[in-house]
């Protein structure tokens, strides 16, 4: 007997996000949700004591143009930090890109978040093609000489740090998945927690006192401080009210005693306590 099967829905036949590339070969990676959230967390918790927010640049997916001989060549780190540089104070001054030969300062630290399409280049495992721009690793290590190159693989929870030593990057051992940077009196490490309502293992900045707070944590702490201050004020008001009531009770007791003495024919003003 002929059996008619209903047609499959597009949801059952179309490719999913796991089937479609989030990046195009030969093109800079496109940020997915993780990249955006992780970049936000890095920027929010980056609070060095020796640099104000007005003298450092914290950005994600902003092109770096690095070679004046080839002005069209660029790299687009997932997140990077430039120290000792004025930040934009007006909307019209916000950077469209970071042009090294105009800015005059190279990035201090670069973070790359590994994804399948860019992993080999991020790790310096690809060779430069003839008549093509240098690889990402070559640019960071040899051209820009970025002091710190950070790589995080969220799939394997693998956190790696490379530091310029002479002319090459040297891998730094991270026994506790934390790395301290003396220059900015902060460290970078892996933190398990929820950020932007997303639980996971995240790269996050810390200082000598612990993990540096996010904007939400700062707001919560400020609310708690305000509530504690309000409670302290209420306790003080209650204490003052109790003291006033005690004084009133003492006055009433003295009045009653004075009335009693007068009823006995004794002038209370002549009684020596």
């Amino acid at each position: 007997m002929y059996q008619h099967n209903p047609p499959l829905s597009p949801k059952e036949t179309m490719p999913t996000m796991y089937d479609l590339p989030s990046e195009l070969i030969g093109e800079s990676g496109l940020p997915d949700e993780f990249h955006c959230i992780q970049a936000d967390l890095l920027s929010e918790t980056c609070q060095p004591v020796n640099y104000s927010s007005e003298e450092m640049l914290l950005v994600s997916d902003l092109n770096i143009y690095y070679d004046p001989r080839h002005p069209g060549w660029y790299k687009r780190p997932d997140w990077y930090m430039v120290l000792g540089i004025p930040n934009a104070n007006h909307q019209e001054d916000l950077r469209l890109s970071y042009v090294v030969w105009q800015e005059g300062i190279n990035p201090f630290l670069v973070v790359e978040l590994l994804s399948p399409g860019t992993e080999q280049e991020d790790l310096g495992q690809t060779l430069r093609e003839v008549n093509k721009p240098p690889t990402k690793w070559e640019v960071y290590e040899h051209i820009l000489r970025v002091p710190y190159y950070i790589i995080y693989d969220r799939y394997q929870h693998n956190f790696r740090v490379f530091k310029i030593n002479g002319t090459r990057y040297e891998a730094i051992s991270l026994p506790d998945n934390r790395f301290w940077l003396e220059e900015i009196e902060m460290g970078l490490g892996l933190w398990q927690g929820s950020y932007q309502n997303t639980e996971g293992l995240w790269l996050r900045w810390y200082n000598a006192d612990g993990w540096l707070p996010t904007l939400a944590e700062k707001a919560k702490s400020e609310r708690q401080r305000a509530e504690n201050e309000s409670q302290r004020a209420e306790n003080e008001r209650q204490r003052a009210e109790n003291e006033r009531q005690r004084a009133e009770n003492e006055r009433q007791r003295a009045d009653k005693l004075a009335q009693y003495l007068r009823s006995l024919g004794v002038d209370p003003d002549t009684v020596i306590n």
Side-chain angles (χ1 to χ4, degrees):
M1 177 182 294
Y2 174 75
Q3 183 176 359
H4 175 71
N5 293 321
L8 296 175
S9 68
K11 187 174 182 180
E12 296 174 293
T13 59
M14 296 293 287
T16 70
M17 69 176 182
Y18 300 106
D19 305 311
L20 297 170
S22 61
E23 294 151 357
L24 300 176
I25 302 301
E27 297 291 333
S28 297
L30 301 176
D32 54 27
E33 279 194 294
F34 167 74
H35 282 66
C36 295
I37 296 175
Q38 177 63 89
D40 286 347
L41 180 58
L42 286 170
S43 294
E44 282 189 30
T45 60
C46 187
Q47 302 157 29
V49 296
N50 47 357
Y51 288 92
S52 69
S53 59
E54 287 76 25
E55 54 186 354
M56 64 178 179
L57 179 67
L58 309 175
V59 287
S60 61
D61 294 302
L62 185 71
N63 288 353
I64 297 179
Y65 290 89
Y66 55 87
D67 190 343
R69 297 168 302 176
H70 301 89
W73 287 1
Y74 68 90
K75 297 301 176 188
R76 186 184 298 165
D78 291 322
W79 190 89
Y80 60 97
M81 171 198 302
V82 186
L83 297 175
I85 193 164
N87 215 339
N89 294 319
H90 297 90
Q91 189 181 68
E92 59 269 21
D93 297 327
L94 290 172
R95 291 173 174 84
L96 302 176
S97 57
Y98 192 82
V99 182
V100 170
W101 59 86
Q102 290 182 334
E103 303 280 2
I105 302 178
N106 291 350
F108 171 74
L109 179 144
V110 165
V111 175
E112 292 290 357
L113 307 170
L114 290 192
S115 53
T118 63
E119 180 173 358
Q120 288 189 329
E121 183 179 2
D122 289 344
L123 293 172
Q125 297 172 352
T126 56
L127 297 177
R128 180 178 181 177
E129 298 181 24
V130 178
N131 298 323
K132 294 289 186 178
T135 66
K136 193 180 294 183
W137 184 283
E138 288 179 286
V139 170
Y140 299 160
E141 183 181 49
H142 296 300
I143 299 176
L144 293 177
R145 295 189 55 74
V146 178
Y148 296 100
Y149 180 33
I150 311 296
I151 295 176
Y152 179 45
D153 179 357
R154 67 171 170 134
Y155 301 101
Q156 302 295 326
H157 296 158
N158 193 3
F159 170 41
R160 280 167 280 190
V161 174
F162 298 90
K163 181 179 179 180
I164 283 288
N165 184 7
T167 61
R168 303 187 68 81
Y169 274 133
E170 177 184 77
I172 304 298
S173 176
L174 305 174
D176 57 355
N177 278 325
R178 290 195 183 191
F179 178 68
W180 183 258
L181 293 91
E182 289 290 347
E183 299 94 328
I184 54 177
E185 300 181 43
M186 289 194 314
L188 197 59
L190 291 184
W191 167 76
Q192 180 70 47
S194 179
Y195 175 68
Q196 293 189 9
N197 298 317
T198 307
E199 182 71 29
L201 193 62
W202 306 94
L203 273 180
R204 179 169 179 169
W205 292 101
Y206 66 93
N207 63 13
D209 297 322
W211 299 110
L212 285 158
T214 64
L215 294 177
E217 289 167 347
K218 285 181 180 179
K220 181 179 179 181
S221 178
E222 183 60 26
R223 286 195 302 271
Q224 187 63 52
R225 188 201 63 77
E227 289 173 3
N228 291 341
E229 183 64 22
S230 176
Q231 185 62 50
R232 188 199 64 78
E234 175 60 22
N235 292 342
E236 183 63 23
R237 187 198 65 78
Q238 188 63 47
R239 188 198 64 78
E241 175 62 22
N242 292 340
E243 184 65 22
R244 188 197 65 78
Q245 188 62 50
R246 189 195 65 77
E248 176 63 19
N249 292 341
E250 184 66 21
R251 186 191 64 77
Q252 291 178 3
R253 188 190 69 80
D255 287 347
K256 288 180 180 179
L257 178 59
Q259 291 176 5
Y260 176 70
L261 290 174
R262 289 190 185 97
S263 70
L264 296 177
V266 177
D267 184 357
D269 294 331
T270 62
V271 176
I272 301 176
N273 293 326

